[in-house]
Amino acid sequence: MAQTQAQRSAAAKKAAATRRRNAAAKRATAARRGPVEHPTPVERTTELSEHVLDSIRRGEREALEAVRKFMETVDRTLPARPAESGPSRRQELVDSALEMAERLVKAQYDFLTGVVHSAGKSLRASDDKTK
């Protein structure tokens, strides 16, 4: 059933009144909190650095956990051979997994270090513009 012009106008007026009440409530809440303090570039850089370090730590832990699970799987599926018979397929797999994990962690570290350096340059540039 189609709405009449009067019904649409009443609904629009009601929605506008609700939006005004919500905006007024937000302004009142902001006024009670006081002025908003913006972090300085140094504080933003410090916060970013902390986040990056946390990401690196998580990545390292996850890589170590993945290697540990992989090694457990290898231990279950491939029998160990005596050392005098030369490197086994098992040892080759483990060495390859460790090398892969090391490369992944290094790549993550290099990436996040680049992010921090870029952010630092950007923050310094924006700080220079504000002075």
Side-chain angles (χ1 to χ4, degrees), residues 23-131:
K26 285 180 183 179
R27 284 191 301 274
T29 300
R32 282 192 302 272
R33 289 185 189 147
V36 176
E37 293 185 25
H38 297 287
T40 66
V42 171
E43 291 169 335
R44 290 184 299 198
T45 304
T46 301
E47 184 178 328
L48 176 64
S49 296
E50 289 170 0
H51 287 300
V52 168
L53 287 173
D54 287 342
S55 294
I56 290 171
R57 286 185 201 111
R58 277 194 312 274
E60 288 173 342
R61 282 192 302 266
E62 290 172 11
L64 288 172
E65 181 64 19
V67 169
R68 186 187 64 76
K69 285 181 179 181
F70 176 78
M71 291 177 70
E72 287 175 357
T73 302
V74 168
D75 285 341
R76 280 194 316 269
T77 57
L78 294 175
R81 291 194 324 196
E84 60 271 356
S85 65
S88 64
R89 291 185 74 205
R90 175 181 181 209
Q91 188 60 46
E92 290 174 13
L93 283 171
V94 169
D95 290 346
S96 177
L98 290 172
E99 183 180 336
M100 179 186 65
E102 184 179 322
R103 285 182 181 177
L104 288 172
V105 169
K106 184 181 180 331
Q108 180 188 29
Y109 177 81
D110 291 345
F111 170 74
L112 292 173
T113 301
V115 168
V116 169
H117 288 300
S118 296
K121 287 177 186 176
S122 296
L123 290 171
R124 279 192 296 277
S126 68
D127 190 40
D128 290 344
K129 288 179 185 177
T130 59
K131 290 182 179 179

Side-chain angles (χ1 to χ4, degrees), residues 1-12:
M1 184 159 104
Q3 288 183 332
T4 65
Q5 185 68 25
Q7 289 171 326
R8 285 193 298 269
S9 291

